[in-house]
Amino acid sequence: NKVTWKLRTLQRSSKYHTGAELVNLYKSRVLSYLEYRTPALYHATETVLQPLNSLQDRFLRQAGLSTLEALMEFNLAPLTTRRDVAMLGLIHRAALKKGPEQFHELFYEERRVKRPSTRLEERRRKHGRQLKEYRAGTHLNVLRRSALGLVTVYNLLPEALVRLTEVKDFQKAL
């Protein structure tokens, strides 16, 4: 409700702003309000998150922008993508041993056993900082939609991304 009110107020003032100014106002006034709860919302299902996602879609539609234009011209990615990048940043911060120690216990490098590796294992291993994966062959949807499920994605990232030492640079590269 608060975001809807903020969007309506922004739309009322749209005749006084250019498209770029309008997007910057959206990013500073509305988007920050939508995103400050990202870690708490990340595990929610698509049906629960759809009302939030539709707010940005509605803003873009009224501003006359497509999702691709918003991404390429204004660095405004869809909310689902922004949530994924934020949570991958949390995992990267833990892998770098920065931030709260509780995360270091959840996201840690997998101990490798010295043994001949197969071609399949080599293809899966993209970088030297492989984290312990929690997903097994039969995993719950809840785990897949959590930060623990994103470890699989983190392990598939290119070496150059994972070697970045600043979380901000890592998220920007994503």
Side-chain angles (χ1 to χ4, degrees), residues 30-108:
V30 179
L31 194 60
S32 59
Y33 192 81
L34 280 172
E35 289 186 331
Y36 85 93
R37 294 183 177 105
T38 292
L41 294 173
Y42 190 77
H43 68 281
T45 62
E46 283 297 318
T47 54
V48 171
L49 293 173
Q50 186 54 40
L52 290 177
N53 297 341
S54 67
L55 291 171
Q56 180 166 314
D57 295 339
R58 184 172 24 156
F59 167 76
L60 291 176
R61 195 172 43 255
Q62 290 173 346
L65 294 169
S66 70
T67 306
L68 186 59
E69 286 174 322
L71 176 62
M72 300 308 287
E73 293 179 30
F74 301 106
N75 292 329
L76 182 61
L79 291 176
T80 54
T81 304
R82 294 177 69 87
R83 282 186 211 107
D84 289 338
V85 169
M87 297 310 289
L88 283 168
L90 178 127
I91 292 170
H92 189 63
R93 178 174 290 140
L96 294 173
K97 302 290 187 231
K98 296 179 179 178
E101 289 190 24
Q102 292 84 350
F103 291 130
H104 304 178
E105 296 170 8
L106 290 173
F107 307 110
Y108 58 90

Side-chain angles (χ1 to χ4, degrees), residues 96-164:
L96 294 173
K97 302 290 187 231
K98 296 179 179 178
E101 289 190 24
Q102 292 84 350
F103 291 130
H104 304 178
E105 296 170 8
L106 290 173
F107 307 110
Y108 58 90
E109 287 191 38
E110 189 172 32
R111 301 200 196 298
R112 292 182 221 140
V113 178
K114 296 285 185 187
R115 62 186 164 143
S117 60
T118 64
R119 283 180 280 168
L120 178 62
E121 285 175 353
E122 284 301 317
R123 242 183 288 142
R124 282 193 66 218
R125 184 173 304 268
K126 296 284 185 186
H127 54 80
R129 189 179 279 159
Q130 296 290 305
L131 300 181
K132 167 79 170 105
E133 291 187 30
Y134 291 91
R135 291 174 30 167
T138 57
H139 55 275
L140 298 172
N141 267 346
V142 173
L143 187 62
R144 183 176 50 89
R145 289 188 320 265
S146 74
L148 297 175
L150 268 182
V151 172
T152 305
V153 174
Y154 184 85
N155 286 340
L156 293 173
L157 292 175
E159 177 84 25
L161 246 73
V162 175
R163 290 293 165 205
L164 293 171

